[in-house]
Amino acid sequence: MKNSSMGCVRLMVETNKPYLGMVLIQLIYAGMALLSKLAVTKGMNPYVFVVYRQALATLALSPFAFFLERELPAKLSCKLLFKIFLVSSGITVSLNTYYLALNYVTATLLVASSNVIPALTFLFAVLLRIERVKMSKRHGRAKVIGSAVALGGAILYMYVKGPPMFSATHTQISNPNAKGDSIKGCLIMLGSNISFALYLVAQTGSWGNNGSAD
Protein backbone atom coordinates (compact mmCIF):
# COMPACT_ATOMS: atom_id res chain seq x y z
CA MET A 1 0.00 0.00 0.00
CA LYS A 2 2.79 2.36 0.93
CA ASN A 3 4.74 1.50 -2.21
CA SER A 4 1.64 2.09 -4.30
CA SER A 5 1.12 5.54 -2.76
CA MET A 6 4.76 6.45 -3.31
CA GLY A 7 4.49 5.30 -6.91
CA CYS A 8 1.43 7.50 -7.47
CA VAL A 9 3.20 10.50 -5.96
CA ARG A 10 6.29 9.87 -8.07
CA LEU A 11 4.17 9.54 -11.21
CA MET A 12 2.28 12.75 -10.39
CA VAL A 13 5.53 14.66 -9.85
CA GLU A 14 7.02 13.30 -13.06
CA THR A 15 3.91 14.18 -15.06
CA ASN A 16 3.64 17.71 -13.67
CA LYS A 17 7.37 18.44 -13.56
CA PRO A 18 7.20 21.46 -15.93
CA TYR A 19 4.42 23.07 -13.88
CA LEU A 20 6.21 22.44 -10.60
CA GLY A 21 9.32 23.97 -12.11
CA MET A 22 7.37 27.08 -13.09
CA VAL A 23 5.97 27.42 -9.57
CA LEU A 24 9.48 27.05 -8.11
CA ILE A 25 10.84 29.71 -10.45
CA GLN A 26 8.07 32.14 -9.46
CA LEU A 27 8.85 31.55 -5.77
CA ILE A 28 12.52 32.26 -6.47
CA TYR A 29 11.60 35.44 -8.35
CA ALA A 30 9.47 36.61 -5.43
CA GLY A 31 12.26 35.99 -2.93
CA MET A 32 14.77 37.69 -5.23
CA ALA A 33 12.56 40.80 -5.48
CA LEU A 34 12.25 41.06 -1.69
CA LEU A 35 15.99 40.62 -1.12
CA SER A 36 16.75 43.08 -3.92
CA LYS A 37 14.39 45.65 -2.39
CA LEU A 38 16.13 45.19 0.95
CA ALA A 39 19.57 45.72 -0.64
CA VAL A 40 18.47 48.84 -2.53
CA THR A 41 16.70 50.23 0.55
CA LYS A 42 19.90 49.78 2.58
CA GLY A 43 21.82 51.90 0.08
CA MET A 44 23.09 49.46 -2.57
CA ASN A 45 23.50 51.15 -5.95
CA PRO A 46 21.13 49.42 -8.46
CA TYR A 47 23.77 49.38 -11.20
CA VAL A 48 26.41 47.88 -8.89
CA PHE A 49 23.83 45.30 -7.80
CA VAL A 50 23.32 44.27 -11.44
CA VAL A 51 27.08 43.86 -11.90
CA TYR A 52 27.31 41.64 -8.81
CA ARG A 53 24.32 39.58 -9.93
CA GLN A 54 25.67 39.00 -13.44
CA ALA A 55 29.17 38.23 -12.15
CA LEU A 56 27.80 35.64 -9.74
CA ALA A 57 25.64 34.13 -12.49
CA THR A 58 28.70 33.88 -14.76
CA LEU A 59 30.71 32.07 -12.09
CA ALA A 60 27.82 29.69 -11.35
CA LEU A 61 26.98 28.81 -14.96
CA SER A 62 30.43 28.77 -16.57
CA PRO A 63 31.32 25.24 -15.37
CA PHE A 64 28.07 23.85 -16.81
CA ALA A 65 28.68 25.56 -20.16
CA PHE A 66 32.28 24.33 -20.27
CA PHE A 67 31.73 20.70 -19.34
CA LEU A 68 28.26 20.07 -20.82
CA GLU A 69 28.32 22.09 -24.04
CA ARG A 70 31.93 22.24 -25.14
CA GLU A 71 31.36 19.36 -27.60
CA LEU A 72 28.53 21.13 -29.44
CA PRO A 73 29.29 21.84 -33.11
CA ALA A 74 28.28 25.52 -32.89
CA LYS A 75 31.02 27.93 -33.94
CA LEU A 76 31.49 31.30 -32.26
CA SER A 77 31.39 33.37 -35.44
CA CYS A 78 31.29 37.17 -35.71
CA LYS A 79 27.64 36.97 -36.71
CA LEU A 80 26.79 34.93 -33.63
CA LEU A 81 28.72 37.32 -31.38
CA PHE A 82 26.77 40.23 -32.83
CA LYS A 83 23.49 38.40 -32.15
CA ILE A 84 24.58 37.69 -28.58
CA PHE A 85 25.37 41.39 -28.15
CA LEU A 86 21.95 42.44 -29.42
CA VAL A 87 20.08 39.93 -27.27
CA SER A 88 22.12 40.70 -24.15
CA SER A 89 21.48 44.43 -24.61
CA GLY A 90 17.78 43.84 -24.01
CA ILE A 91 18.26 41.93 -20.76
CA THR A 92 20.89 44.45 -19.60
CA VAL A 93 18.47 47.36 -20.03
CA SER A 94 15.71 45.33 -18.38
CA LEU A 95 17.80 44.45 -15.32
CA ASN A 96 19.10 47.97 -14.79
CA THR A 97 15.64 49.55 -15.05
CA TYR A 98 14.18 46.75 -12.90
CA TYR A 99 16.46 47.50 -9.97
CA LEU A 100 16.23 51.23 -10.55
CA ALA A 101 12.44 50.97 -10.17
CA LEU A 102 12.95 49.47 -6.72
CA ASN A 103 13.91 52.97 -5.55
CA TYR A 104 10.37 54.17 -6.25
CA VAL A 105 7.94 51.26 -5.86
CA THR A 106 7.44 48.27 -3.58
CA ALA A 107 8.79 44.81 -4.34
CA THR A 108 5.22 43.49 -4.41
CA LEU A 109 4.20 45.96 -7.11
CA LEU A 110 7.34 45.24 -9.08
CA VAL A 111 6.68 41.49 -9.11
CA ALA A 112 2.99 42.00 -9.92
CA SER A 113 3.88 44.21 -12.88
CA SER A 114 5.94 41.39 -14.40
CA ASN A 115 2.64 39.71 -15.27
CA VAL A 116 2.43 42.02 -18.29
CA ILE A 117 5.59 40.48 -19.79
CA PRO A 118 3.78 37.50 -21.42
CA ALA A 119 1.19 39.88 -22.90
CA LEU A 120 3.87 42.24 -24.22
CA THR A 121 5.87 39.32 -25.60
CA PHE A 122 2.80 38.02 -27.41
CA LEU A 123 2.05 41.51 -28.78
CA PHE A 124 5.58 42.05 -30.10
CA ALA A 125 5.64 38.55 -31.58
CA VAL A 126 2.42 39.28 -33.46
CA LEU A 127 3.63 42.68 -34.66
CA LEU A 128 6.89 41.15 -35.92
CA ARG A 129 4.94 38.28 -37.52
CA ILE A 130 6.71 35.66 -35.44
CA GLU A 131 3.38 34.59 -33.95
CA ARG A 132 0.04 34.28 -35.72
CA VAL A 133 -3.29 34.95 -34.10
CA LYS A 134 -5.91 32.42 -35.17
CA MET A 135 -9.14 33.48 -33.53
CA SER A 136 -10.93 30.56 -35.18
CA LYS A 137 -8.80 28.16 -33.12
CA ARG A 138 -9.20 27.50 -29.41
CA HIS A 139 -5.53 28.09 -28.63
CA GLY A 140 -5.61 31.40 -30.52
CA ARG A 141 -8.53 32.68 -28.45
CA ALA A 142 -6.82 31.43 -25.28
CA LYS A 143 -3.68 33.45 -26.09
CA VAL A 144 -5.64 36.66 -26.64
CA ILE A 145 -7.84 36.22 -23.57
CA GLY A 146 -4.88 35.23 -21.39
CA SER A 147 -2.89 38.26 -22.52
CA ALA A 148 -5.83 40.57 -21.84
CA VAL A 149 -6.39 39.10 -18.36
CA ALA A 150 -2.68 39.37 -17.46
CA LEU A 151 -2.50 42.97 -18.67
CA GLY A 152 -5.76 43.95 -16.97
CA GLY A 153 -4.77 42.32 -13.69
CA ALA A 154 -1.42 44.09 -13.59
CA ILE A 155 -3.01 47.48 -14.36
CA LEU A 156 -5.71 46.92 -11.72
CA TYR A 157 -3.09 46.03 -9.12
CA MET A 158 -1.15 49.21 -9.87
CA TYR A 159 -4.15 51.45 -9.19
CA VAL A 160 -5.93 49.63 -6.35
CA LYS A 161 -4.42 49.98 -2.88
CA GLY A 162 -5.58 48.04 0.15
CA PRO A 163 -5.01 48.67 3.85
CA PRO A 164 -1.44 48.24 5.20
CA MET A 165 -0.66 44.77 6.47
CA PHE A 166 1.76 45.95 9.16
CA SER A 167 2.21 48.97 11.35
CA ALA A 168 4.24 51.96 10.23
CA THR A 169 7.29 50.71 12.13
CA HIS A 170 7.52 47.60 9.96
CA THR A 171 6.91 49.00 6.49
CA GLN A 172 10.37 50.14 5.54
CA ILE A 173 10.65 47.52 2.84
CA SER A 174 7.02 47.36 1.76
CA ASN A 175 6.53 51.11 1.33
CA PRO A 176 8.08 53.05 -1.56
CA ASN A 177 11.16 55.07 -0.79
CA ALA A 178 10.33 58.58 0.42
CA LYS A 179 12.44 60.17 -2.31
CA GLY A 180 10.66 58.22 -5.00
CA ASP A 181 7.71 58.95 -7.19
CA SER A 182 5.23 56.16 -7.84
CA ILE A 183 4.42 57.38 -11.35
CA LYS A 184 8.09 57.53 -12.25
CA GLY A 185 8.57 54.06 -10.81
CA CYS A 186 5.68 52.65 -12.86
CA LEU A 187 7.11 54.15 -16.05
CA ILE A 188 10.53 52.66 -15.29
CA MET A 189 8.87 49.29 -14.61
CA LEU A 190 7.08 49.51 -17.94
CA GLY A 191 10.39 50.15 -19.69
CA SER A 192 11.91 47.17 -17.91
CA ASN A 193 9.05 44.89 -18.92
CA ILE A 194 9.16 46.07 -22.53
CA SER A 195 12.92 45.44 -22.67
CA PHE A 196 12.49 41.94 -21.22
CA ALA A 197 9.70 41.14 -23.70
CA LEU A 198 11.88 42.29 -26.61
CA TYR A 199 14.72 40.19 -25.18
CA LEU A 200 12.51 37.10 -25.28
CA VAL A 201 11.28 37.83 -28.81
CA ALA A 202 14.83 38.50 -30.05
CA GLN A 203 15.93 35.02 -28.99
CA THR A 204 13.41 33.42 -31.35
CA GLY A 205 15.29 34.40 -34.49
CA SER A 206 18.77 34.59 -33.03
CA TRP A 207 19.40 30.88 -32.49
CA GLY A 208 17.56 29.50 -35.51
CA ASN A 209 20.78 28.36 -37.12
CA ASN A 210 22.20 27.01 -33.83
CA GLY A 211 25.00 29.49 -34.06
CA SER A 212 26.55 27.93 -37.15
CA ALA A 213 28.76 30.08 -39.27
CA ASP A 214 27.69 31.11 -42.74
Side-chain angles (χ1 to χ4, degrees), residues 136-157:
S136 59
K137 302 292 184 179
R138 184 179 300 177
H139 65 270
R141 294 193 296 270
K143 290 179 181 179
V144 174
I145 294 174
S147 299
V149 170
L151 186 60
I155 294 175
L156 180 65
Y157 190 89

Side-chain angles (χ1 to χ4, degrees), residues 89-161:
S89 297
I91 191 62
T92 301
V93 173
S94 178
L95 286 176
N96 280 278
T97 50
Y98 178 91
Y99 290 112
L100 181 61
L102 281 174
N103 282 315
Y104 308 104
V105 298
T106 64
T108 306
L109 179 58
L110 195 67
V111 173
S113 71
S114 64
N115 289 325
V116 305
I117 293 178
L120 291 173
T121 305
F122 177 67
L123 176 62
F124 290 136
V126 171
L127 293 177
L128 296 174
R129 297 185 178 182
I130 299 175
E131 184 84 20
R132 291 185 178 182
V133 181
K134 298 181 179 180
M135 296 301 294
S136 59
K137 302 292 184 179
R138 184 179 300 177
H139 65 270
R141 294 193 296 270
K143 290 179 181 179
V144 174
I145 294 174
S147 299
V149 170
L151 186 60
I155 294 175
L156 180 65
Y157 190 89
M158 290 180 185
Y159 286 99
V160 176
K161 287 187 177 181

Side-chain angles (χ1 to χ4, degrees), residues 44-67:
M44 170 69 75
N45 187 294
Y47 307 113
V48 175
F49 190 86
V50 172
V51 173
Y52 285 157
R53 167 180 164 160
Q54 298 301 87
L56 181 61
T58 301
L59 293 175
L61 296 178
S62 294
F64 294 97
F66 180 77
F67 291 107

